[in-house]
Amino acid sequence: MQLADSQQKQGATSFFSALLDSVSQAIVAESVDGMIIYCNPAAEALLGYAAADLLGLLFNRILPDPELHTHKTLLAKQGQGHLPDHYQTLCCSSQNPALDVMVTVTPLLSQDGILIGFSSEIEVTESAQGRQQALNELTRYKQNLAAIVESSDDAIISKTLEGIVTSWNKAAEKIFGYTAEEMVGQPMLKIFPPDRVDEEMHILSKLKSGEKVDHFQTMRLHKSGRQIHISVTVSPIYDTEGEIIGASKIAKDITEKLNTEKLVWRQANYDALTNLPNRRLLMDRLAMEVSKAHREMHGLTIMFIDLDHFKEVNDSLGHNIGDELLQKVSHRIRDCFRQSDMLARFGGDEFVALMPCLSQRKDIDTVCSKLLKVLSDPFTLEDANTVYVSASIGIAVYPMDGESDQELIKHADQAMYEAKRKGRNQAKYFIPAMQTSLDKHHQLGVDLRFALQNNEFFLTYQPIIDLNNEQIVKAEALIRWNHPLLGVLSPMEFIPIAEETGIIHGLGDWVFRTAVRQLKRWQEDFGLPLQLSINKSPVQFNIGNDVPQHWRAFLQETGLSGEHLIIEITESTMMTQQESTQNKLLSFAELGIQVAIDDFGTGYSSLAYLNKFDIDYIKIDKAFVQEMKQDCQSFHLCEALVVMAHKLGLKVVAEGVETQEQHQLLSAMRCDYGQGYYYSKPLTHDLFEQLLQGQSMTRLSPA
C-alpha cells in the first residue's frame, strides 16, 4: 500500500513538473529564504539563462525590487497564506538589465498549511515591449544614420553656435584633408579663406536668431592651402526643449564640376587656336553693347579684319604653319586695341574688333594705321619660314551704319570687301553704295563661271622697250573681259573674284595657252626674238611645287622654247614662302622661263632675298616712276634700285612711263627697259602686229 502511494506521488510529481514545463508563462519558484529552486523553460527564454545557472541563486538577482522582497519576508514571518499578489517591476535579463515585467506572486504551502516558498509568474508588459522595440528601433536608426553619414560622399559636419566642430565624417576628411581628430573641438574658421570669415559670422548670427540659412556656394581651404569650391546646406540642431543648440552642415565639393562647366563654356565661347572670343561670344557682346549705346546715346565701332592672301600660306606651307601664323597675327592685332575692346576670331582668317564708345574718325584712323603697320613686319615661323601678310579692314559705326548688331557686322564685312577690291592692305569705311558694289561683285562671280565657255575673254599686249635702242623686245600679256552687259572690264574688277572662287586656275591656263600660241605665230611671221610676260596669280603660283605638267606639255606641243617667256609674280608672293618658292623658281629656270618680280618696292624691303632666289628681272612700280623728276626722292630711289639690281645681276623694267622726261631720266640711270603709255597703251593683237611691222622706227609715238 505504501509502495502504491509512493508510486502515485512520484507520478503526480512528474505530471505537475511536465505541466509547468509546458506552459508559456515564465515561472520561477523560490524557497522562503529567497533561493531559486525551480525555473521552467519559458522563464529560461525570458531571462536568457539556463535553469541550471539559476538554481541556488538568490531570487533578487533577477527581480531586485526591494518592495517585492519585503512583502515576501513579511509573508514568511506571518506564515499565513494569501491570495496571489501582482507587482509591476523591473527584471534583470541577460539581454536587458531593466525589462519591464508584471510579477504574480503565489505562496507555496505544505499539506500542513506551512509556507514553504513562493511561485512567481513573470510576464513582460506591453509598455515594456513597446519601449524595448522602440529602443531597438532607435538603436538601429542611429546605427543606420551613422552608416549613412560615414558612407556619404558629402561632408557632413556639426558645430556649436560658437562655430566649434562637434562631428566630422569621412567625406569631410577627404574633401578638406583634415582628420576628425584634427577638427573636432576646433573652430570651423580653420577651413575658411581670410576673405570669407564674415560668412561664418553671418551664418552663426542667423542661426542664433532662428532665421533660415539658404543654400549657397562658396570657397573653403583644403589642408594643403588650395581653395575648394563647395555647395553648402546649413540646418539647425535642436535640443529636447526645441531650442537651437548648433548646426549641421552638408558640403559638396563642386570644384571639378565648376571647372568642367568653365571649360565647356570656354570651348563654346572661345577660339581654341588663338584663345580669342569666337563669333558666338562676339555677337552676344555686340548685341549688349548696341543696346547700351542706344540707351546711353553714344557710338561704337566695328572693324572687320581679313588677312590678305592667307589661303596661299595654308596651301603652300601647310595648315600647321598657317595656324602658327594666325596665333602670332592675333597677338599683334590684340595689342592695337584698348582693354575694354573685344577682338574675336570670326572664322578662318577673319577677325572682328568691337570698340564701345568709339566713333570719332580720327581715333578710328589711328587704330587702323597702327594695325596696318604692325602687320607689315615679317613673321618668323617654324623651320625659319618668314612670312609677310597684310590685312583688309572694313569699318562700320553705330548708329550711322546700322542700328542692329547684324547690320553692323554685315556693313563692316561689305566695307572690308571694298578694301580688298581696291587693292588690299588698307581700311575702308562703309557707305551705302557698297551694297550695290557687293551685289555687283556677287553677280560677277556668277557670270565668271560661264565667261570662259562663252569666249568672253581676250588678251591685250603692252610693249616693253629696250631703253638702249628704243626697240620693242618684250610685251606683257594682259587679260580683259568683254562682259555681255557691262562691256570691257579690267583685271582689277574680276581677278580678285576669280581668285576667291577658284576660277583663276582655269583662267590662268587659258591665258598661258593663248599667249603661247600668239607668240609662236609672231615669231614665225616676223622672225623677232620677242619675249612675252605672263602674270601668274599668287593663288596659281602657290599650287604645286613646280611648273604645271600641262604647261610643259603645251610648250613641247607648240615647239616654243621657254626662253621666250617671262612669268611675273608679285613681291608678296615671293616673300610668303621661301623654300617652296625657291623650288618653283628653279623649275621655271629648268625650262628656260625667266621670272620677273612685279610692282617691286611697294610691298616689302626684300632686296636681301633677290640674290637668294632665281630671279631675272625686277619691275619698278609705276608709283615711283610717275613721281620721278630730276633730283627728287623717287628719282634717287629708282636710281638706287637700278644700281643694286645690276650689282645682283638682274635686269630692271620701269613701269608706268608716261612722259619724255621720265623716259630720259630712266635712260640716263641705265635702266634696261621701259613700259608705259609713253610708248604704247595695251593693244589688241592686230594693233600690236602693226607696231612690230614698224620695228625700224627709232622711237614709237606716244599713245
Side-chain angles (χ1 to χ4, degrees):
M1 184 65 180
Q2 290 180 347
L3 180 59
D5 288 342
S6 176
Q7 290 177 342
Q8 186 177 6
K9 288 180 180 180
Q10 186 176 357
T13 300
S14 298
F15 172 78
F16 284 113
S17 177
L19 178 62
L20 290 174
D21 287 348
S22 66
V23 298
S24 59
Q25 287 82 10
I27 298 175
V28 178
E30 60 180 303
S31 63
V32 174
D33 56 2
M35 302 294 292
I36 298 173
I37 57 176
Y38 173 77
C39 180
N40 75 341
E44 288 181 313
L46 175 65
L47 300 174
Y49 298 107
D53 295 330
L54 291 173
L55 296 179
L57 297 178
L58 290 172
F59 186 78
N60 61 10
R61 288 284 298 274
I62 61 172
L63 282 168
D65 188 348
E67 183 179 348
L68 182 61
H69 178 70
T70 300
H71 180 70
K72 290 179 180 179
T73 302
L74 182 61
L75 288 175
K77 287 181 178 180
Q78 293 177 345
Q80 299 174 357
H82 287 265
L83 294 174
D85 287 326
H86 304 285
Y87 295 89
Q88 187 168 342
T89 185
L90 297 177
C91 175
C92 295
S93 71
S94 64
Q95 301 297 321
N96 191 340
L99 185 62
D100 199 350
V101 295
M102 180 67 72
V103 180
T104 303
V105 180
T106 304
L108 296 177
L109 303 175
S110 67
Q111 291 180 348
D112 300 330
I114 299 173
L115 181 68
I116 61 175
F118 303 94
S119 170
S120 296
E121 181 182 328
I122 306 172
E123 182 179 4
V124 178
T125 63
E126 290 185 6
S127 59
Q129 288 178 322
R131 278 199 302 272
Q132 183 63 37
Q133 184 177 0
L135 181 61
N136 293 340
E137 288 294 331
L138 182 60
T139 301
R140 283 195 295 271
Y141 174 76
K142 289 181 177 179
Q143 291 173 342
N144 290 339
L145 184 60
I148 291 171
V149 168
E150 288 305 314
S151 63
S152 174
D153 291 332
D154 299 335
I156 301 177
I157 305 164
S158 61
K159 61 183 177 181
T160 67
L161 290 179
E162 288 69 42
I164 303 301
V165 176
T166 55
S167 70
W168 187 267
N169 73 339
K170 293 293 184 184
E173 294 183 351
K174 180 179 179 181
I175 291 173
F176 298 105
Y178 292 99
T179 64
E181 289 76 15
E182 291 175 304
M183 283 303 298
V184 173
Q186 297 295 315
M188 185 71 79
L189 287 174
K190 189 173 182 178
I191 62 170
F192 276 65
D195 60 341
R196 302 277 177 163
V197 171
D198 290 345
E199 277 184 12
E200 178 72 341
M201 303 299 104
H202 179 68
I203 291 169
L204 294 175
S205 175
K206 294 190 78 172
L207 285 171
K208 290 175 182 178
S209 63
E211 294 182 53
K212 180 182 178 182
V213 179
D214 294 324
H215 174 85
F216 61 97
Q217 291 184 4
T218 186
M219 303 282 290
R220 294 291 181 262
L221 290 177
H222 187 271
K223 185 178 180 180
S224 64
R226 64 182 174 87
Q227 290 195 331
I228 309 166
H229 294 273
I230 61 170
S231 171
V232 180
T233 301
V234 179
S235 302
I237 298 175
Y238 298 91
D239 62 10
T240 56
E241 304 299 325
E243 296 294 327
I244 298 175
I245 59 172
S248 67
K249 175 185 291 186
I250 299 176
K252 181 187 292 290
D253 186 351
I254 58 172
T255 305
E256 185 175 349
K257 175 176 176 287
L258 290 182
N259 288 340
T260 301
E261 288 175 354
K262 287 179 182 178
L263 177 61
V264 170
W265 184 87
R266 186 166 187 85
Q267 289 174 338
N269 292 280
Y270 278 79
D271 174 55
L273 179 65
T274 62
N275 286 323
L276 292 175
N278 61 14
R279 180 186 301 201
R280 173 179 172 174
L281 187 56
L282 171 80
M283 295 308 294
D284 287 346
R285 169 83 182 276
L286 178 56
M288 180 184 70
E289 291 294 346
V290 168
S291 296
K292 184 178 179 182
H294 175 74
R295 185 173 61 253
E296 299 179 3
M297 301 181 67
H298 61 69
L300 66 87
T301 297
I302 289 291
M303 276 190 188
F304 207 110
I305 306 161
D306 187 271
L307 301 185
D308 298 328
H309 303 302
F310 175 75
K311 186 177 184 297
E312 286 88 314
V313 177
N314 265 345
D315 291 342
S316 58
L317 300 181
H319 288 276
N320 289 340
I321 298 297
D323 287 347
E324 184 185 356
L325 176 60
L326 282 174
Q327 289 174 328
K328 294 194 173 184
V329 165
S330 69
H331 293 156
R332 286 195 195 178
I333 296 177
R334 185 66 189 89
D335 290 342
C336 294
F337 294 96
R338 304 169 300 178
Q339 193 67 33
S340 58
D341 300 333
M342 174 184 274
L343 177 68
R345 185 185 179 196
F346 207 64
D349 61 341
E350 296 175 334
F351 300 86
V352 172
L354 164 60
M355 296 174 286
C357 303
L358 185 71
S359 56
Q360 294 296 316
R361 180 74 177 253
K362 62 181 180 62
D363 297 329
I364 300 171
D365 287 346
T366 299
V367 176
C368 288
S369 298
K370 188 176 180 181
L371 264 174
L372 295 173
K373 184 177 184 303
V374 300
L375 291 177
S376 67
D377 293 332
F379 291 85
T380 302
L381 306 178
E382 187 179 318
D383 298 330
N385 284 289
T386 300
V387 177
Y388 290 80
V389 297
S390 59
S392 298
I393 305 172
I395 303 162
V397 181
Y398 174 88
M400 295 81 73
D401 300 332
E403 296 187 355
S404 72
D405 52 347
Q406 296 294 337
E407 275 187 314
L408 289 169
I409 287 291
K410 176 183 176 183
H411 291 163
D413 188 27
Q414 290 175 354
M416 180 273 294
Y417 273 106
E418 181 68 10
K420 282 193 177 295
R421 196 178 71 83
K422 292 295 185 180
R424 298 180 169 85
N425 194 29
Q426 59 185 291
K428 290 291 181 183
Y429 286 84
F430 173 79
I431 56 175
M434 289 179 181
Q435 182 64 51
T436 303
S437 175
L438 186 64
D439 293 340
K440 178 183 176 183
H441 182 94
H442 174 73
Q443 188 58 50
L444 286 178
V446 174
D447 295 344
L448 264 176
R449 299 182 183 280
F450 305 99
L452 261 180
Q453 64 189 52
N454 293 338
N455 297 316
E456 295 173 5
F457 295 104
F458 65 94
L459 294 182
T460 60
Y461 304 88
Q462 186 170 33
I464 298 174
I465 307 304
D466 186 333
L467 294 180
N468 289 321
N469 55 29
E470 299 187 0
Q471 297 295 304
I472 300 173
V473 291
K474 308 176 192 300
E476 182 178 354
L478 301 167
I479 190 172
R480 299 290 186 267
W481 181 10
N482 188 15
H483 192 280
L485 297 178
L486 302 176
V488 177
L489 302 178
S490 71
M492 287 296 294
E493 295 181 271
F494 63 87
I495 290 298
I497 303 173
E499 290 176 333
E500 292 170 15
T501 58
I503 296 173
I504 190 67
H505 302 295
L507 196 57
D509 289 342
W510 178 87
V511 170
F512 179 80
R513 291 173 182 272
T514 303
V516 166
R517 288 194 192 99
Q518 187 63 64
L519 179 59
K520 180 63 176 175
R521 191 165 67 83
W522 283 336
Q523 286 184 343
E524 292 173 349
D525 291 347
F526 301 102
L528 296 174
L530 189 68
Q531 278 188 310
L532 198 58
S533 290
I534 300 172
N535 288 285
K536 194 167 177 63
S537 160
V539 176
Q540 288 177 278
F541 186 81
N542 291 327
I543 296 298
N545 295 318
D546 55 11
V547 178
Q549 291 299 323
H550 56 281
W551 283 24
R552 294 174 181 267
F554 190 70
L555 286 175
Q556 293 175 354
E557 177 186 327
T558 56
L560 183 71
S561 171
E563 296 174 354
H564 298 289
L565 294 176
I566 300 172
I567 296 298
E568 294 191 13
I569 62 175
T570 62
E571 188 178 358
S572 60
T573 301
M574 182 181 69
M575 293 298 99
T576 299
Q577 40 181 337
Q578 294 181 33
E579 184 176 348
S580 59
T581 296
Q582 177 72 334
N583 293 336
K584 291 173 186 177
L585 296 180
L586 287 173
S587 71
F588 283 119
E590 289 173 2
L591 288 177
I593 299 175
Q594 295 182 310
V595 176
I597 302 301
D598 197 12
D599 302 329
F600 190 82
T602 59
Y604 316 98
S605 301
S606 52
L607 285 172
Y609 293 97
L610 294 180
N611 196 37
K612 176 180 180 180
F613 292 137
D614 197 355
I615 303 297
D616 301 286
Y617 302 90
I618 62 170
K619 299 186 74 173
I620 301 176
D621 188 77
K622 62 183 179 182
F624 300 109
V625 175
Q626 289 172 349
E627 295 178 0
M628 188 172 59
K629 293 181 180 180
Q630 185 70 42
D631 292 329
C632 72
Q633 185 175 4
S634 292
F635 170 80
H636 294 307
L637 178 60
C638 290
E639 188 175 42
L641 288 175
V642 170
V643 171
M644 188 171 294
H646 287 167
K647 290 287 186 181
L648 295 173
L650 306 177
K651 299 290 187 181
V652 181
V653 180
E655 294 184 290
V657 182
E658 295 185 351
T659 67
Q660 184 176 12
E661 181 184 11
Q662 293 164 359
H663 166 75
Q664 291 173 342
L665 290 174
L666 290 167
S667 297
M669 68 177 64
R670 299 180 182 275
C671 182
D672 300 290
Y673 305 101
Q675 178 181 353
Y677 274 41
Y678 176 72
Y679 309 110
S680 174
K681 65 182 180 182
L683 303 171
T684 62
H685 66 277
D686 293 334
L687 293 176
F688 188 76
E689 287 178 4
Q690 294 177 16
L691 285 183
L692 293 179
Q693 290 173 350
Q695 186 66 271
S696 59
M697 297 173 57
T698 57
R699 182 179 62 82
L700 299 175
S701 299

